[in-house]
Amino acid sequence: MSILNLPLSWQTLLPIALAYAFIKWAFTPPSELRHLPRAPILPLLWSYARGEVEDVRIKRLLLPFANEKGEGVVLVYALGRWIVHVLDHQIAKNLSENVSLWPKEEPPDDLLLWRFVGKTNVILSNGEPWIRHSHVVKSALNRNLPIHEFVSLAKMLFKKMGDGGVIRWDDYTMRFALDAVGSTALGHNFRAIEDDHSPFVKEYNEVMDGISNALYIVFPKLEKWFPRKEVIDKIDKLSANFQKILNHKKENKGNDMITYMLEEPGMTDEEYRDNMVVFFIAGHDTTAGAMSSFVYYLAKHPELQKRAREEVISALEDEEPNLANLRKMSFVQACIRESLRVNTPITYMVPRASP
């Protein structure tokens, strides 16, 4: 019998029953995790749909829920699955320190983010590959502290700001961070501060906007069922641009992290490229967020802004910033650390797999 010949009540109830069965299947956690308190799903979905950032979601939804239940760990629906979210500091510390017992999880293939970032980098690797990547990255970081580059970019940013007035500070911090990561980590000038229409910046923003589509973040399986060819093509094009930068650095050495990493043997082109993308995303996003928060809190507390400004003027003594006079800015350093504590720019940690 066809559905059209069923009584009207069945024509109505069948789609509802199928939808209910799908929702129950999609949003029911695995049996081995059902003893843990489950964060309410609808507020979480609404939070994702609104584009609420992770730290706000934790403070508004997860911490009150965990305190109410008296638990240090809760189940949270994220990235199309249930994840154990650790809110107790000591438990989190034990998990993060024991990489052997709690290795970083193999990222799911569904999300396009992993197509862009790759899986062979210092953030996602475990065991021997992580030791090798970590050694190469640390060696490069220890050799590269180009304060003069940051000074030069700061001057360019002030020139771009002109005489002041109303500006989008978060836009300017993003431009500064892009050029800072470009010149010091990748040895490449993205011209984000100077050029309002930088092609690379435009391509990157389009890729990240596509990757962060709320519907596909909540239901990653949609990427397999309804693949977004246009977004995939943009990701592959941007990845190819990073590969071009890497190929250029092999022939044109400089004072940057990629040059120093290339001097260390033992990594493939794929590993170099994946680490480049990680440096680019993590470096400029966190730096821009930290700068935005720092200035925001100084604006909210003009008396602290005045004290910080006086300390900087006194420490510089009409000189360019350098390590010696930066060490004299203890109050500014304290303000930066407090800003990072109150509103950390790092909101995502790679999940750990249970033994």
Side-chain angles (χ1 to χ4, degrees):
M1 178 185 295
S2 92
I3 285 181
L4 294 176
N5 293 328
L6 291 173
L8 181 60
S9 58
W10 280 102
Q11 292 182 39
T12 304
L13 291 175
L14 188 57
I16 295 175
L18 290 173
Y20 173 78
F22 172 77
I23 291 171
K24 186 176 181 181
W25 168 77
F27 296 120
T28 299
S31 58
E32 65 270 21
L33 298 178
R34 290 175 194 168
H35 64 287
L36 296 173
R38 193 184 315 174
I41 187 70
L42 289 179
L44 282 172
L45 293 178
W46 178 238
S47 172
Y48 298 139
R50 290 166 52 204
E52 192 171 46
V53 295
E54 182 72 5
D55 59 324
V56 173
R57 180 162 46 248
I58 290 172
K59 293 172 186 175
R60 187 177 67 83
L61 294 176
L62 301 186
L63 282 175
F65 177 76
N67 290 334
E68 177 189 334
K69 298 296 181 181
E71 292 282 356
V73 295
V74 297
L75 277 184
V76 178
Y77 186 83
L79 305 179
R81 62 212 172 113
W82 289 95
I83 294 176
V84 179
H85 210 300
V86 180
L87 298 165
D88 180 272
H89 173 72
Q90 189 58 48
I91 297 175
K93 186 171 183 290
N94 293 338
L95 285 175
S96 62
E97 288 180 348
N98 196 336
V99 183
S100 301
L101 183 60
W102 305 92
K104 286 170 276 189
E105 183 188 50
E106 175 78 14
D109 292 328
D110 302 331
L111 290 172
L112 289 182
L113 174 63
W114 309 122
R115 185 186 186 95
F116 179 40
V117 174
K119 301 178 182 180
T120 59
N121 54 58
V122 69
I123 301 297
L124 298 175
S125 56
N126 285 296
E128 188 279 328
W130 178 81
I131 293 173
R132 182 161 41 85
H133 287 215
S134 180
H135 169 73
V136 172
V137 171
K138 284 180 180 177
S139 297
L141 282 171
N142 290 336
R143 294 177 59 185
N144 191 29
L145 189 61
I147 294 178
H148 65 282
E149 288 278 1
F150 301 139
V151 173
S152 175
L153 291 173
K155 289 179 178 179
M156 290 172 58
L157 188 67
F158 290 142
K159 183 178 179 181
K160 184 76 175 180
M161 291 166 62
D163 296 327
V166 179
I167 62 171
R168 281 282 307 275
W169 177 239
D170 60 338
D171 175 55
Y172 279 78
T173 60
M174 187 64 73
R175 290 168 180 251
F176 176 88
L178 281 169
D179 279 348
V181 171
S183 60
T184 62
L186 308 185
H188 183 81
N189 185 5
F190 293 116
R191 302 179 59 84
I193 295 176
E194 298 175 279
D195 189 354
D196 292 334
H197 307 287
S198 169
F200 194 99
V201 175
K202 180 175 179 292
E203 289 175 11
Y204 172 76
N205 289 334
E206 288 177 352
V207 163
M208 296 309 292
D209 286 344
I211 287 174
S212 59
N213 182 294
L215 184 62
Y216 284 81
I217 292 291
V218 176
F219 301 107
K221 291 293 183 185
L222 291 174
E223 299 288 10
K224 287 188 175 180
W225 299 339
F226 307 102
R228 297 178 289 165
K229 187 176 184 305
E230 182 181 353
V231 179
I232 292 171
D233 288 343
K234 288 180 179 179
I235 290 173
D236 292 345
K237 181 182 177 183
L238 189 57
S239 296
N241 285 337
F242 275 104
Q243 186 62 48
K244 288 178 183 177
I245 294 174
L246 177 60
N247 294 339
H248 177 78
K249 292 309 300 178
K250 289 178 181 178
E251 304 297 328
N252 300 271
K253 311 298 185 185
N255 180 27
D256 53 78
M257 282 189 63
I258 296 300
T259 292
Y260 299 138
M261 286 176 64
L262 287 168
E263 293 175 3
E264 297 279 346
M267 288 218 303
T268 66
D269 266 17
E270 181 185 10
E271 290 173 324
Y272 282 125
R273 191 214 68 92
D274 287 357
N275 279 299
M276 284 178 67
V277 176
V278 164
F279 295 154
F280 182 77
I281 295 177
H284 92 267
D285 253 1
T286 55
T287 302
M291 289 173 64
S292 295
S293 295
F294 177 56
V295 171
Y296 168 78
Y297 289 121
L298 286 182
K300 285 195 69 175
H301 301 280
E303 72 284 1
L304 302 182
Q305 180 184 154
K306 181 174 182 293
R307 180 178 169 185
R309 175 179 168 80
E310 289 172 350
E311 181 183 75
V312 170
I313 293 173
S314 173
L316 290 179
E317 297 179 339
D318 296 324
E319 292 181 346
E320 295 272 291
N322 54 54
L323 278 178
N325 52 40
L326 287 176
R327 292 193 180 100
K328 300 177 183 178
M329 303 179 195
S330 57
F331 180 72
V332 172
Q333 297 286 345
C335 289
I336 292 172
R337 292 191 179 96
E338 179 66 3
S339 172
L340 290 171
R341 184 193 68 81
V342 174
N343 189 27
T344 173
I346 301 173
T347 60
Y348 177 78
M349 298 293 287
V350 178
R352 297 299 179 89
S354 61

